[in-house]
Amino acid sequence: MDSATVKLCSGDGFSFIVAKHVAEQSPTIKNMLDTTRGAGDAAAFAEALTSEIRLPEIKGKVLEKVCQYLVYKHRYADADSADASVPEFKFDV
């Protein structure tokens, strides 16, 4: 897999390929993908080496919405919170 992408895998078998910079909008995912953590030794997360994160407790439908939110968060990261042009994130699972 391309190092610029991350594969997020749900517990019910769905997989989502997401740009790494988008996935890293989540601090948890960012930490899991940090290759400098432990300088490559056993302290580094395996996910940092494979660019694949398994989330066995999360269903595909929910993970899809998480991916949509990460894209939304990345797209509007620099927008002013009072800016009326930033649409509300719709959450309906």
Side-chain angles (χ1 to χ4, degrees):
M1 181 179 311
D2 182 338
S3 64
T5 60
V6 177
K7 184 177 183 180
L8 303 177
C9 305
S10 70
D12 55 354
F14 290 91
S15 297
F16 301 89
I17 307 295
V18 180
K20 185 176 180 180
H21 67 276
V22 171
E24 287 179 338
Q25 294 298 308
S26 161
T28 300
I29 292 175
K30 186 174 184 172
N31 285 334
M32 292 173 82
L33 296 173
D34 184 0
T35 57
T36 63
R37 182 182 172 91
D41 63 20
F45 286 109
E47 291 84 356
L49 305 174
T50 64
S51 293
E52 182 173 313
I53 299 176
R54 296 190 176 278
L55 302 160
E57 301 297 321
I58 298 179
K59 295 197 179 296
K61 189 172 185 178
V62 174
L63 187 54
E64 179 181 22
K65 191 53 84 169
V66 168
C67 292
Q68 290 172 359
Y69 179 74
L70 292 172
V71 169
Y72 169 87
K73 186 173 179 185
H74 174 72
R75 183 173 181 184
Y76 297 107
D78 296 328
D80 182 2
S81 60
D83 189 350
S85 66
V86 176
E88 180 179 340
F89 182 75
K90 302 290 185 194
F91 188 82
D92 56 339
V93 177

